[in-house]
Amino acid sequence: MPTRRRLDDAACPDKKTFRISLTGRVQGVGFRPTVCRTAKELGLEGEVRNFGTSAEILCSTDSERIKVFTERLRRLPPPVKVESIDAEEVAPRSFTGFHPAESTGKPHLSVLPADIGVCGECLRELAEKGNARYRYPFISCAQCGPRYTIIRKLPYDRGGTTMDVFPMCGLCREQYSSLKDRRCYGQTLSCPDCGPQLTGIRRDGARTEKEAAVLDARGLLEQGAILAVKAVGGFNLVCRADRAESVTALRRLKHRPTKPFAVLFANLTELSSACLVSSLERELLCSAARPIVLLDRSPKWRRSVCDEVAGAYGLLGAFLPAVGLYAMLAENLPLVVTSCNRSGTPILFRDSDMREYFLSHDAVSGVFWNRREILRPADDSVARAVCGAPQILRRTRGYEPEPAVTNAPSGNLLALGAQLEPALCLASGGRIYPVAVPGDLDEPSTRSLLKDTIADLSSLLNIRPESVVCDKHPLYYTTGLAHTLGLKCVQVQHHYAHAMSVIAEHGLKGKVLAVCFDGTGYGDNGSVWGGEFLLCDGVSYSRAGHLAEIPMIGGDISMKQGWKSALCHLEHAGLESADPRFPVVRAALRCGVNTIRSSSMGRLFDAVSAVLGLCRENTHQGRCAVACENAAAAALSDGKAPLQMAFSESSGVFDPAPLFPVLLSAKDAKAAALGFHHAVIRMVGQMAKEVGAEQVALCGGVFANRILLEGCRSELEKRGFSVYWNRSVPPGDGGISLGQAYYGLLKG
């Protein structure tokens, strides 16, 4: 057996052999080139094996120099991000120089690298005449290109990805092997002579290849056509963002009447002509993940984006190309780019499924694809800058499946999330890996994908869950699935899981007041919760306060009808309504027909929006609430004073009834919407003062509202509280599996 000496033992001047286990991340590639360069600068001898986001280094030197080496690795600048280094002395070995070795064996800790957007150097080469990769749509290097969506197995080497069917040409092989080249060990390395090629087919059957396909796709888009384009995580539907008839046709095709689309711009200069971009937002847009970023519009936004894309008010989702192909298609032509799917179903990512879709949808004028197989679907991520920090609102391509938490308690488990915004978490070795599952769990295809994702990631990450954590709602699909897996099943209350997601992200200890505002969640008393103040301490919590539970008409359809929520609140407040449906709603409430008691903040936002005439139907999730936020934002922009109103309070129960006489008589909907936001913010400050916990967590989907989040944070910090909110996972149900996983690990 080899002897092992930890590095903090007494230094020994003699040359010895050390094994260094390194975990973390190099943007888009493993550690081999970076480690080799650093080792050679110090004159070390040895080898490094790469596993994507971890590495094993064998090094022959003395104890003092190995300490210098590990310290240099810890301090490597971006894109390197080192999380941990562990070194030990092993049996002596002899090396000649320092070089990369084949990635045999298994990594110390499995981590899959995320997909990386095309880098600036590759974009420069894409436009450089005479370059070997000039106008090559799938250009990449060691620092960019797909990862997660193409990996078959770890370690992360070309032979374990769907790039294995593209043998490298002489040029690519030379660059791949040279430590001096930025493409060294770039597993997606390819060029026009050896890599994936673009193929296009029109509705009339005309077929194009390579550069001709790029030109044909661009020409069709200029004419106003809708195209299907194969991207990193699946097929997109694409059309011009400045042509109303094209966007309207896309809405009909997607059965998406009102939900805003995001707009792809070729570069930051073109994007900045339509949107106002801060330095932090610029960092997000240009980051390796290339997320859609929610931005304020510039006064000139209509020059490149029509109203049909996202309405005339509110933020605009904008993003930059993640692949070279989109940089060429969008040049001087901003594009609507959205997932190709039927509403509620996962994005299409298999070529065979796309062929069927194309044959049955005449509105699509052409499909453009390549032979590189996509193994896992991934929509574009969504992020924003809020409270001076980045926040992820949809954590998908570019972020998953990298861990959101790396210092959790040990244990192997699976967390299944909720019903809306499906996402799961796997946990092992103190790391928690969140992964979104695109689609709606009412759809069989999404349920199938959820099961496939569990099996796929468990195998790739080499995690064998010993327990499963799920919601307490008896009718959630994920709750039923959890009980079929043959594992120890732990159930956790919906809003407590929201709270735990913030606690996990920030590593909070001790008492935390969690302000949990969302649409619905199964409460401990059997009613619908959603406006909760939970006092959390470790694995226990108490309901310190909440919105008043009022009778509301139940059923999934009622959640989409803001007008119905409004009538329920008016009845609770003892007020009348001229709405001809009010007598029926009132009779149902008084007779207890299909009613349930609810403390939902989400439904309260819907009711306020409907009463003010801003929006009465949630034709997409959160539409009424966003209309209320947009009106409040307009009031702030116009310098309007908020209309004064307040909740009544008794023993921690806040009744919204006093708000509604003020809302009904309001002459200015914008000032009233702002006044409502201020009333909620004051309520949060009042409750925090009464509870007295020094730490406050703001969580739940309602906190996607920027005015509310920033207002609550400001109010609480003025009162001396430390305030936390979700940043690396969504505040809504898309991040709830992180809280479930953390609770399960703490529970043990």
Side-chain angles (χ1 to χ4, degrees):
M1 294 289 291
T3 59
R4 299 190 176 190
R5 291 168 59 97
R6 306 300 298 187
L7 289 186
D8 52 10
D9 290 349
C12 176
D14 299 333
K15 183 178 286 189
K16 300 179 182 297
T17 300
F18 297 91
R19 176 188 289 120
I20 303 171
S21 298
L22 185 150
T23 60
R25 174 184 180 195
V26 177
Q27 181 177 312
V29 73
F31 289 101
R32 278 178 293 197
T34 305
V35 169
C36 285
R37 294 186 190 105
T38 306
K40 287 186 175 184
E41 288 172 5
L42 295 174
L44 306 184
E45 297 177 343
E47 64 184 27
V48 54
R49 288 181 169 83
N50 171 58
F51 298 104
T53 52
S54 62
E56 181 181 272
I57 305 165
L58 289 173
C59 190
S60 180
T61 186
D62 58 75
S63 299
E64 288 302 320
R65 190 171 296 185
I66 201 70
K67 290 180 180 178
V68 174
F69 180 44
T70 55
E71 186 59 30
R72 285 278 299 274
L73 293 176
R74 281 192 181 93
R75 292 188 288 106
L76 286 170
V80 178
K81 179 182 178 182
V82 174
E83 293 175 358
S84 66
I85 298 178
D86 185 42
E88 61 187 3
E89 185 182 329
V90 295
R93 282 187 58 181
S94 177
F95 300 98
T96 302
F98 200 99
H99 59 87
E102 290 299 316
S103 302
T104 57
K106 291 186 176 181
H108 171 67
L109 188 62
S110 298
V111 182
L112 290 166
D115 300 312
I116 303 299
V118 61
C119 70
E121 278 295 299
C122 283
L123 287 175
R124 182 187 60 78
E125 291 181 351
L126 183 72
E128 183 180 65
K129 290 184 178 180
N131 190 284
R133 295 179 180 83
Y134 173 61
R135 292 186 63 79
Y136 176 54
F138 310 107
I139 188 170
S140 70
C141 67
Q143 305 302 328
C144 64
R147 302 295 185 260
Y148 167 64
T149 50
I150 65 170
I151 292 175
R152 287 198 176 98
K153 62 180 181 179
L154 289 176
Y156 170 49
D157 283 322
R158 191 182 185 97
T161 73
T162 59
M163 287 296 296
D164 61 352
V165 299
F166 302 102
M168 282 185 279
C169 65
L171 171 65
C172 290
R173 174 59 64 183
E174 179 183 349
Q175 293 175 330
Y176 181 86
S177 304
S178 173
L179 285 172
K180 297 180 180 180
D181 198 288
R182 68 185 179 86
R183 289 190 162 86
C184 180
Y185 283 92
Q187 306 304 333
T188 57
L189 176 56
S190 63
C191 74
D193 293 331
C194 65
Q197 306 297 331
L198 186 67
T199 299
I201 186 166
R202 287 187 174 222
R203 175 61 53 190
D204 61 7
R207 191 182 183 95
T208 50
E209 303 280 348
K210 299 186 177 181
E211 177 66 8
V214 176
L215 295 174
D216 191 38
R218 172 74 187 205
L220 287 168
L221 289 170
E222 289 174 349
Q223 295 166 24
I226 298 172
L227 304 183
V229 178
K230 188 176 184 179
V232 172
F235 283 89
N236 296 142
L237 294 173
V238 184
C239 75
R240 294 180 64 151
D242 63 345
R243 187 167 290 185
E245 59 269 28
S246 298
V247 179
T248 300
L250 180 59
R251 289 199 175 280
R252 288 196 299 267
L253 177 62
K254 288 270 294 182
H255 302 288
R256 181 171 168 166
T258 56
K259 187 177 180 180
F261 286 122
V263 180
L264 175 78
F265 294 86
N267 52 59
L268 197 57
T269 300
E270 293 181 25
L271 186 150
S272 298
S273 68
C275 301
L276 304 176
V277 185
S278 68
S279 57
L280 179 55
E281 289 163 343
R282 186 179 297 111
E283 288 180 22
L284 268 173
L285 288 163
C286 299
S287 67
R290 291 292 196 280
I292 296 167
V293 180
L294 302 184
L295 302 170
D296 289 315
R297 309 183 198 202
S298 80
K300 300 177 181 178
W301 67 272
R302 279 193 172 93
R303 293 182 180 181
S304 52
V305 180
C306 63
D307 284 1
E308 286 73 12
V309 167
Y313 305 102
L315 304 176
L316 181 68
F319 62 126
L320 297 175
V323 292
L325 174 60
Y326 275 143
M328 292 188 285
L329 295 182
E331 187 175 6
N332 298 314
L333 188 69
L335 301 172
V336 170
V337 178
T338 185
S339 58
C340 182
N341 63 336
R342 182 172 58 81
S343 181
T345 62
I347 183 173
L348 299 179
F349 67 100
R350 297 184 180 93
D351 293 353
S352 57
D353 292 338
M354 187 63 237
R355 281 194 292 270
E356 292 182 15
Y357 182 92
F358 183 53
L359 290 173
S360 59
H361 291 81
D362 292 342
V364 181
S365 298
V367 58
F368 293 82
W369 78 99
N370 65 84
R371 286 199 305 117
R372 182 168 61 200
E373 184 182 4
I374 299 172
L375 299 178
R376 298 166 197 89
D379 289 320
D380 294 310
S381 294
V382 180
R384 67 176 176 180
V386 64
C387 298
Q391 181 186 40
I392 298 173
L393 298 176
R394 184 168 73 190
R395 192 182 196 271
T396 46
R397 182 189 54 75
Y399 297 105
E400 63 183 13
E402 294 185 348
V405 173
T406 59
N407 57 354
S410 61
N412 295 341
L413 60 75
L414 165 69
L416 291 178
Q419 185 75 7
L420 296 176
E421 302 173 33
L424 61 90
C425 275
L426 283 163
S428 182
R431 294 183 171 209
I432 305 178
Y433 308 85
V435 174
V437 179
D440 184 333
L441 284 175
D442 289 335
E443 294 286 343
S445 57
T446 307
R447 295 181 176 189
S448 177
L449 179 60
L450 172 63
K451 294 177 183 177
D452 291 345
T453 302
I454 293 169
D456 177 35
L457 287 180
S458 297
S459 175
L460 278 170
L461 294 170
N462 194 30
I463 296 175
R464 298 292 177 265
E466 297 169 356
S467 60
V468 59
V469 190
C470 66
D471 199 275
K472 283 187 173 181
H473 198 300
L475 299 181
Y476 279 2
Y477 172 76
T478 49
T479 305
L481 176 63
H483 288 91
T484 69
L485 298 179
L487 302 172
K488 173 188 173 184
C489 186
V490 177
Q491 292 183 269
V492 56
Q493 199 277 326
H494 187 90
H495 302 94
Y496 182 44
H498 272 306
M500 292 299 284
S501 70
V502 179
I503 291 169
E505 270 200 64
H506 297 277
L508 304 182
K509 307 294 182 184
K511 292 184 178 181
V512 178
L513 175 64
V515 184
C516 307
F517 291 167
D518 70 355
T520 62
Y522 189 76
D524 288 338
N525 60 358
S527 66
V528 173
W529 287 8
E532 310 307 312
F533 297 96
L534 303 182
L535 184 58
C536 308
D537 191 357
V539 293
S540 65
Y541 70 94
S542 60
R543 195 185 190 195
H546 56 89
L547 286 183
E549 294 184 359
I550 73 166
M552 299 193 75
I553 295 176
D556 291 343
I557 190 64
S558 294
M559 294 171 56
K560 299 178 180 180
Q561 296 171 324
W563 63 266
K564 192 178 289 182
S565 294
L567 297 182
C568 291
H569 271 281
L570 291 175
E571 166 64 12
H572 169 71
L575 300 171
E576 295 294 325
S577 171
D579 190 312
R581 297 165 291 194
F582 183 58
V584 177
V585 170
R586 180 166 55 191
L589 291 171
R590 292 181 177 180
C591 295
V593 177
N594 191 28
T595 60
I596 189 167
R597 301 192 71 82
S598 170
S599 63
S600 169
M601 179 62 79
R603 300 291 79 78
L604 178 57
F605 262 87
D606 291 349
V608 171
S609 185
V611 166
L612 292 176
L614 300 170
C615 182
R616 293 182 172 85
E617 295 275 356
N618 279 317
T619 48
H620 62 265
Q621 186 178 346
R623 186 188 176 204
C624 291
V626 170
C628 188
E629 180 186 3
N630 287 344
L636 288 170
S637 179
D638 296 342
K640 293 179 181 290
L643 191 63
Q644 292 300 307
M645 62 188 79
F647 294 80
S648 65
E649 187 264 343
S650 176
S651 302
V653 178
F654 293 84
D655 196 331
L659 305 177
F660 283 91
V662 183
L663 293 166
L664 279 175
S665 61
K667 293 181 173 59
D668 187 330
K670 295 177 182 178
L674 183 59
F676 169 65
H677 280 76
H678 281 210
V680 176
I681 291 165
R682 287 194 301 272
M683 175 183 68
V684 170
Q686 178 184 341
M687 190 63 195
K689 182 180 178 181
E690 291 179 7
V691 172
E694 295 181 356
Q695 303 174 111
V696 181
L698 307 176
C699 55
V702 172
F703 279 107
N705 181 315
R706 184 163 65 177
I707 295 174
L708 189 64
L709 178 60
E710 291 179 338
C712 286
R713 179 217 182 193
S714 176
E715 176 74 13
L716 291 165
E717 287 186 345
K718 280 192 298 186
R719 292 172 178 259
F721 296 99
S722 298
V723 188
Y724 306 90
W725 61 93
N726 289 116
R727 296 186 187 181
S728 63
V729 298
D733 285 5
I736 206 169
S737 62
L738 174 62
Q740 291 176 340
Y742 195 67
Y743 173 80
L745 293 171
L746 287 175
K747 194 81 172 171

